[in-house]
Every structure is written in C-alpha cells, then in structure tokens.
Amino acid sequence: MAYNFEYYAPTRVYFGRGEEKNTGRYIRRYGAQNVMLVYGGSSAGRSGLLDLIRQSLRDENIAFSEIGGVVPNPHLDKVYEGISLGRKNGTDFLLAVGGGSAIDTAKAIAYGLAEPEQDVWELYEHTRKAKKCLPVAGVLTIAAAGSETSKGSVITNEKTGSKRAYDDNLARPVFAIMNPEYTVTLPDYQTEAGCVDIMMHTMERYFTNGGNMEITDALAEGLLRTVMKNAVILHTDPQNYDARAEVMWAGSLAHNDLTGCGNDGGDFMSHKLEHELGGMFDVTHGAGLAAIWPSWARYVKASCLPRFVRYAENVMGVSLRGTDEEIAEAGIRAMEGFYRQIGMPVNMAELGIAPSDEQIREMAGRCMAACGGHTGSAKVLTEEDMVRIYTNAR
Ligand code: NZQ
Ligand code: ZN
C-alpha cells in the first residue's frame, strides 16, 4: 500500500562538463553579496577547481571569504570557526566545494549564521529545530553522501566523539553543480566507498515494513543495479566519464527522497549504527556501511523477508530455487561478493578496526540516544539488538 508522502526536491542541478565555470553567474541569480567558500583539504585546490570558482566569482563582482581544511567526518569546531568568520564578513550565501563533509559543514554554518543567538550544535542534539538557514549551494567533487540535494547534514563533535545528523528542508541546497570530470582524481577507495553510500541511501529506504509502491521499487532497483555496474567499471577504469556520470547522478537521486516515496521513511539503522563507528574510529562513511550491512541484514532479514527476497532476485540477480530464507541469504552473500569485488570491507576487521565489548556497548548506547525513538523499520531494534549487530560485524 502506498503511504501519503510529500516530495520536495528544490535543488537546481547543473550537470556536466564545464558547468563549474558558471558558478558566479548562478550565484548572482540568488542576489548574494558576500559568499563564503567552504572546502576540504587539498583536492579542490590541486585540480584547479577552486581557482576557477574564485575567478568566476570575481567576474561577477561577488565578494567572498574562504574557509578550508574541512576533514572527512567534519568537525563542529570548523563549523564554529565558519560562523565567526561569517559574522565578521556579513556572509549571506554558503558555497561548498567538495563532498558531503564540505557541504554538511556549509549547511551547519548556514544554520549558525541565520540564528546567531543560538548554539548550532543544539540542532544536531535534537533539542530544538531550526527556524532559518542561509542559502547553501555545492560544487560536487565526490559522488557519495548526496548532501548536494539532501536535507541532511552530519557533524561530529570531536570533543565527545558524537557524530550526529540533522535533517531539515531549510538546508536543501539551492543549486548543485556536478561535473563528473572532477571525480576522476578520487582514490579508488573513496570512489567505491561513495558507491556503497549511494546504494545504502536507497537500500535504507527499500528495506522497510511500512508501505511501498511499484514505481518506487522500480526506480530503486534500477538505481542499485546501475551503481553496481558502474562501481565495477570504475574499479578498473577510473577515468571512464560515462561511468562517473552515472554514479554522480545516482548519488543525488539516491538521497533526495525519490527512492522512498510512498513508504514509511525507511529503516536507516545501518546508517545510524555506522555514524557511531565514524564518531569513535573516524572511518570512511561508505566503508563503515559496507562493514555493518551484512551483519544488520542477517539480523533483521526474518522480520522483512519479502523485501530481502525481492532484493536478492531483482537487484542481485539470484535465481536460486529454495526457501525464502535461502534466497534472502543468497542475496546477502551476493552483496558481500560485490563489496569484495570493489575492494570494500564486509566486516569490521576488514575495515581495520577492532572495537572492544565495552566500546560496542558504548556505541549501542549512543546510537540508541541518537535515534530519538526511531530504531528501524525492517526490524525495530533494541539496544541489545544493536550490541549483537556490532558484535556479529566484528
Ligand atoms: O579534503 P579533500 O582534500 O577534498 O579530500 C576528500 C576527502 O579526503 C576526498 N576528495 C573529495 N573529492 C575529491 C577527493 N579526492 C580527490 N579528488 C576529488 N575529486 O575524499 C575524501 C572524502 O570526502 P568527504 O567529503 O568526506 O566524502 P563524502 O562525500 O563521502 O562525505 C562523507 C560525509 O558525509 C556524511 C558522512 O557521514 C560523512 O561525514 N553524510 C552526509 C549525508 C547528508 N548530508 O545527507 C548523508 C550521508 O549518509 C552521510 O552520512
Ligand atoms: Zn550515507
């Protein structure tokens, strides 16, 4: 049965070669006077992208300031630094250049500048909701998080190790520039971790017990098959423009809510469990998801069996004749085979971490608190379930 839904995808997308040169012109349309450029370590500088963007802003006589050095699993301190810089300069528009970490930092700065009397971290602790947010846009250099069209932003409080998400339509980027050419410089590990993340954004919405629509399932399954095919191509042919383009566009569609219309909002427990790994061990988000998913899937599959069978057959191409349990298990095994094929881990040992029992309990406790009462749809998890999923993933 199709559930009621609201679909809101306001981000204007400029996709393809050369679009980054128009950045200044596109920003001009929003009446921005004072832009803050937000970026990560060195990749956007090395590729020449930052210089092109600076020039396109100058060409349009748009003033700008800059904050670089955003790290993966981006830090709250950088957000505070951006807020104080923005206050000094009168920033009225945030332009992120990079991936999820730069865009999420820009979103957090945008919230902080729009309501300067409040502590922005309260949003991520879910003790209040945002009333305002400055406009944000992104020039994407890695296909993964989907932040360029999503309502999410994820920030880590590096002092406490808490990685927390805040979702709000206020922060959906007003536009996103996506030139797949810029993603060819990605290390293979980041490309493939990105593909895992893209797939997971759709899989989180697919494995539910609440509502579904044939059109949504068809979009989801097509997207998953396309990303798998192109992830394999990019593993050996990283310069392949068409494969880069397929994956980049899939990354936005996977997380702008399109592949969840008509269901209950999805499961999202693999993500929530992974965010604790990111907070405690600073692992790459997509790789952390690959390490958790098989354990999660085996733990919950009996509670969501028809969806696991459908997934095995329509996405993983399982043609086994057997019981539903056997077909579902074959689908999970095929997924592990795919992860291995693209160099992704299937458990925490392969991810390179070895959490102790005590650390697992701590992560489960934090995850429970971060969930705010929503602990899954494929199966509603207790804290003890989370401990078991982490333990089985070792
Ligand atoms: O810092 P630089 O030098 O730019 O290097 C980055 C970084 O080391 C590098 N990189 C990016 N583009 C590159 C490149 N290297 C070479 N060539 C390029 N073209 O890649 C590394 C990872 O960058 P990051 O921005 O962290 O990647 P991603 O897009 O995967 O973002 C991950 C973050 O997004 C969050 C994750 O939890 C994580 O913190 N997420 C955000 C979501 C959202 N806002 O909706 C949803 C996701 O589920 C996710 O949780
Ligand atoms: Zn993700």
Side-chain angles (χ1 to χ4, degrees), residues 67-295:
I67 181 163
V70 172
V71 294
N73 296 320
H75 290 175
L76 180 60
D77 264 359
K78 188 57 81 179
V79 172
Y80 288 144
E81 194 187 319
I83 293 169
S84 68
L85 179 70
R87 274 192 203 148
K88 244 183 272 159
N89 293 330
T91 296
D92 58 6
F93 192 103
L94 278 292
L95 178 67
V97 182
S101 297
I103 302 171
D104 288 359
T105 300
K107 288 178 178 176
I109 295 171
Y111 284 127
L113 285 174
E115 296 187 85
E117 63 295 345
Q118 313 258 32
D119 181 0
V120 70
W121 184 244
E122 291 166 3
L123 301 177
Y124 296 83
E125 294 215 297
H126 298 176
T127 53
R128 70 174 169 93
K129 281 178 150 312
K131 295 200 180 74
K132 290 187 274 182
C133 185
L134 293 189
V136 178
V139 182
L140 192 65
T141 65
I142 170 172
S147 186
E148 68 278 6
T149 57
S150 83
K151 64 184 169 191
S153 77
V154 188
I155 298 295
T156 296
N157 182 335
E158 64 283 4
K159 297 203 172 62
T160 61
S162 305
K163 183 175 177 180
R164 294 285 175 266
Y166 179 62
D167 289 349
D168 198 314
N169 279 324
L170 287 172
R172 293 230 192 225
V174 293
F175 71 79
I177 293 176
M178 302 184 208
N179 177 352
E181 285 177 327
Y182 281 98
T183 64
V184 302
T185 52
L186 280 164
D188 181 59
Y189 189 77
Q190 289 294 340
T191 296
E192 302 303 345
C195 289
V196 172
D197 193 21
I198 291 167
M199 291 180 67
M200 279 303 311
H201 293 151
T202 282
M203 288 156 67
E204 298 277 21
R205 293 171 166 93
Y206 187 90
F207 290 105
T208 68
N209 275 314
N212 52 56
M213 293 176 79
E214 191 53 45
I215 179 68
T216 297
D217 282 343
L219 288 168
E221 289 163 1
L223 185 149
L224 291 166
R225 288 193 302 266
T226 302
V227 176
M228 285 176 71
K229 178 178 160 194
N230 288 287
V232 171
I233 293 173
L234 290 174
H235 196 45
T236 52
D237 183 12
Q239 305 287 325
N240 188 314
Y241 178 86
D242 288 333
R244 291 281 178 194
E246 298 285 350
V247 167
M248 196 172 217
W249 185 223
S252 291
L253 298 182
H255 204 31
N256 79 348
D257 294 334
L258 178 67
T259 58
C261 293
N263 74 23
D264 63 357
D267 185 88
F268 278 97
M269 285 315 297
S270 299
H271 262 76
K272 288 172 182 164
L273 292 162
E274 192 288 328
H275 281 171
E276 300 309 319
L277 291 185
M280 192 176 278
F281 298 101
D282 200 21
V283 296
T284 297
H285 172 61
L289 289 169
I292 283 286
W293 188 81
S295 171

Side-chain angles (χ1 to χ4, degrees), residues 20 23 27 35-54 56-57 64-71 93-107 136-142 148 175-177 182 248:
E20 68 285 356
T23 308
I27 290 187
V35 172
M36 187 188 297
L37 276 180
V38 183
Y39 50 89
S42 58
S43 75
R46 267 183 288 133
S47 65
L49 178 59
L50 268 180
D51 277 343
L52 276 176
I53 289 170
R54 288 178 184 122
S56 89
L57 292 172
F64 61 93
S65 57
E66 300 191 18
I67 181 163
V70 172
V71 294
F93 192 103
L94 278 292
L95 178 67
V97 182
S101 297
I103 302 171
D104 288 359
T105 300
K107 288 178 178 176
V136 178
V139 182
L140 192 65
T141 65
I142 170 172
E148 68 278 6
F175 71 79
I177 293 176
Y182 281 98
M248 196 172 217

